[in-house]
Amino acid sequence: MYQINFQNPVHIYFIGIGGISMSGLAEILLEKGFPVSGSDSKESSLTQLLCQKGANVHYGQRSENITKDIDLIVYTSAIHPDNPEYLAAESLGIPLLTRAELLGQLMKNYELPIAISGTHGKTTTTSMISQILLAADTDPTLSIGGILKTIGGNIRIGHSGYFVTEACEYTNSFLSFFPKIGIILNVEEDHLDFFKDINDIRRSFHQFAALIPHDGVLIINGDIPELSAITKGLSCRILTYGESSDCTYRPGNISYRENGCADFTLLKDGQKEDAFSLNTPGEHNVYNALAAIALSDVLAIGRDVVRKALFAFHGTDRRFEYKGQINGTTIIDDYAHHPTEITATLKAAANFPHKTLWCVFQPHTYTRTKAFLKEFAKALTHADQIILADIYPARETDDLGISSQTLQKEIQSLGKTCYYFPDFQQIEAFILDKCLPNDLLITMGAGDVVTIGEDLLKE
């Protein structure tokens, strides 16, 4: 594997430079004096920012973009070997690294690399932790999988030994990392286009946890089924949080304010210690906050700082994000694209003031929709009214004989009314006709469903 000498900057080219993670890595390298170029399918605010900072960005991926002056190519799991730029790099003998391999090498430059993993909640928990570290004046470098308003983007370049990043399990990318502290929020079935089954996923998370050195710390949700499959044989210190009585960190007296956000008491080793108030809705965020509190204790950050930072945190883009109101209907957008995430978001919405809860759901990938068809149907029944958009295929080309109409039939078999429309314009017209004052509308999914609410608010 090509090893980067961060004291000797070389020209690095990113295939897919406009991605949320790739753009952040490109920005870090620009700050360190590396010549950076890359390509993406279209211009965006992230590519515009990179250009302002000195990157050279091509729109459209073509073989002629790859020139002999490039020393290294970085690519994501979405790039296949038949990609024209990938093929051109191979023909010119230019070394290639995955995004995860680059991120892993970058982590080695920091004294305290912190990696947040889990099937769900990575971006929100990473953002909570970022808010705390900033409030504690630790001057961290942050790489977040979403836009955090506190830093005005997804990346912050600090000058201390703290480095915080999300750690995604897809294609085992997080096994290229070098964390000193690791967090595992949850372990569930997902990405079944890559993993064989839940046991395969558990093995992957166990391998991730085993990367933590003996003087490091694993913070893990103690309620994960078959927890020992992940923690067995680890040499590092292990801290647990969750609902179970044997977890080190637990919540007590959870209650909800009128905005759907929780207040709770922190129990550590069974003893009441502090009271916390969140400004991110839902019970799932109580547990995300517990992981952040446990990390803060490891880093010896005072509880006063932690309490104020968590209260000041209002979430990241596309995580129960308030978009506005139209004709008295409140519009929220959420990134949920897994049954567990959908259930958590819709349960959070139940504590938010509303008359009728509408959910416009855009399934993400054919493989996920097929694998969790019944689970998706059950999760969506937590909404009063359900509208389905077509499946967002992302990287996939084979529809596997599955469609949103398949999911619609499954939902209807549960006795729930469910509407399907083949395009966003029809969905928007239906919403304008049916939604009433004091209704709550959530656009949901990891694709481009967010544009429905944004288009409505422009009218």
Side-chain angles (χ1 to χ4, degrees), residues 248-316:
T248 307
Y249 294 84
R250 293 165 50 216
N253 303 319
I254 300 174
S255 61
Y256 296 93
R257 306 191 303 282
E258 63 178 13
N259 61 357
C261 300
D263 299 326
F264 67 95
T265 302
L266 172 67
L267 305 175
K268 185 177 180 183
D269 293 320
Q271 301 299 310
K272 291 183 180 180
E273 292 208 346
D274 281 293
F276 288 85
S277 294
L278 304 180
N279 272 309
T280 45
E283 185 181 58
H284 59 294
N285 278 318
V286 172
Y287 292 96
N288 291 338
L290 285 180
I293 292 165
L295 174 66
S296 302
D297 281 2
V298 171
L299 301 179
I301 297 173
R303 287 277 174 76
D304 223 30
V305 172
V306 177
R307 188 185 304 109
K308 290 176 182 176
L310 287 175
F311 186 74
F313 176 64
H314 288 265
T316 54

Side-chain angles (χ1 to χ4, degrees), residues 97-173:
L97 285 181
T98 65
R99 176 201 64 85
E101 288 167 343
L102 169 61
L103 182 50
Q105 290 192 29
L106 191 60
M107 291 172 81
K108 290 182 177 180
N109 291 321
Y110 295 85
E111 294 174 16
L112 197 63
I114 302 165
I116 297 92
S117 73
T119 314
H120 328 290
K122 292 184 290 294
T123 296
T124 297
T125 308
T126 303
S127 298
M128 283 181 173
I129 289 166
S130 299
Q131 192 93 15
I132 292 168
L133 292 176
L134 290 168
D137 295 322
T138 61
D139 193 20
T141 295
L142 308 171
S143 178
I144 305 169
I147 304 301
L148 177 61
K149 290 180 175 62
T150 307
I151 61 175
N154 66 308
I155 198 78
R156 180 189 189 273
I157 300 168
H159 301 91
S160 72
Y162 288 86
F163 182 90
V164 180
T165 185
E166 294 183 32
C168 181
E169 74 276 15
Y170 184 55
T171 68
N172 281 330
S173 62

Side-chain angles (χ1 to χ4, degrees), residues 40-51:
D40 213 272
S41 58
K42 59 184 179 180
E43 188 175 12
S44 67
S45 58
L46 293 174
T47 61
Q48 289 170 356
L49 177 64
L50 290 173
C51 289

Side-chain angles (χ1 to χ4, degrees), residues 206-264:
H206 172 69
Q207 288 175 285
F208 168 72
L211 297 172
I212 302 168
H214 67 91
D215 58 344
V217 181
L218 172 65
I219 297 167
I220 187 167
N221 183 339
D223 297 326
I224 293 173
E226 299 192 34
L227 185 68
S228 62
I230 299 162
T231 58
K232 63 183 178 184
L234 299 182
S235 62
C236 64
R237 180 185 173 201
I238 299 172
L239 291 174
T240 58
Y241 71 92
E243 186 178 8
S244 304
S245 58
D246 55 352
C247 290
T248 307
Y249 294 84
R250 293 165 50 216
N253 303 319
I254 300 174
S255 61
Y256 296 93
R257 306 191 303 282
E258 63 178 13
N259 61 357
C261 300
D263 299 326
F264 67 95

Side-chain angles (χ1 to χ4, degrees), residues 64-82:
E64 55 264 34
N65 294 339
I66 307 303
T67 52
K68 290 181 179 179
D69 64 316
I70 296 170
D71 298 294
L72 174 66
I73 301 279
V74 178
Y75 65 100
T76 69
S77 57
I79 301 302
H80 300 293
D82 60 354

